[in-house]
Amino acid sequence: MDRENNVLITMISRISDGAHHDTSETVYPGKAFEKDGCCYVFYDEHDEDTGEVTKASLRLRPRHIEIRKKGNITAQMTFVPGQQSETEYKTPYGSMFMTIDTKRADVQFGLSEVRAELNYLLSFGGSSAMKNRMEIVVRYIRG
């Protein structure tokens, strides 16, 4: 599927630091296309407080997921099982360096959707790692 399609992107994040657990779900309209075994997804995130827009993109392929953000929030996050990556996460309130230790990055391609699941540890500036689980569902809108 080389042409661009309208999609709905659902992201469910579960974060645990041992004592506290938090779950959030967001849904974004966007565009996606598949090429050479990858699914490329593009969408806008809107800051509820300021109204500022962050352009976001996903690159989903088996055992390798990239999330890029540019705008109000700027970051480039890479998830590959068994690998650690470091990135700078920039916000209007300041920047912080974070380390991502990916445990799992699965992607399944279906006829009407692409599903991804991430398990990773996330730490900011040497702080203790938080356990994270993220599910991403990209549903193609037909019509």
Side-chain angles (χ1 to χ4, degrees):
M1 182 178 309
D2 285 344
R3 66 183 179 87
E4 200 169 69
N5 293 278
N6 290 323
V7 294
L8 278 180
I9 304 112
T10 303
M11 299 179 129
I12 302 169
S13 295
R14 294 175 181 87
I15 301 170
S16 173
D17 66 2
H20 300 92
H21 306 280
D22 188 36
T23 300
S24 65
E25 180 174 340
T26 51
V27 179
Y28 305 100
K31 302 277 187 186
F33 69 93
E34 292 177 30
K35 185 174 184 175
D36 299 327
C38 291
C39 179
Y40 298 89
V41 183
F42 305 93
Y43 61 98
D44 291 342
E45 294 181 355
H46 298 272
D47 185 303
E48 294 176 10
D49 296 328
T50 66
E52 296 285 327
V53 175
T54 296
K55 297 284 186 188
S57 67
L58 306 172
R59 183 178 179 199
L60 307 171
R61 58 185 167 146
R63 299 183 50 80
H64 190 121
I65 297 170
E66 294 176 25
I67 301 173
R68 295 175 188 231
K69 298 181 181 201
K70 187 164 183 154
N72 195 39
I73 295 173
T74 301
Q76 180 175 330
M77 297 167 279
T78 303
F79 303 89
V80 178
Q83 292 185 11
Q84 283 190 358
S85 62
E86 293 184 359
T87 189
E88 185 177 12
Y89 195 84
K90 297 179 184 177
T91 74
Y93 311 105
S95 297
M96 57 191 127
F97 286 92
M98 61 185 197
T99 302
I100 301 165
D101 183 1
T102 306
K103 304 300 182 187
R104 180 178 180 193
D106 291 334
V107 178
Q108 294 103 30
F109 294 87
L111 292 176
S112 61
E113 66 184 25
V114 176
R115 291 184 162 269
E117 187 172 318
L118 286 166
N119 289 329
Y120 58 98
L121 299 175
L122 182 65
S123 58
F124 293 94
S127 66
S128 59
M130 296 180 291
K131 291 181 182 178
N132 289 264
R133 180 173 180 210
M134 182 184 296
E135 296 172 53
I136 303 168
V137 180
V138 180
R139 286 192 179 87
Y140 291 102
I141 300 171
R142 306 288 183 209

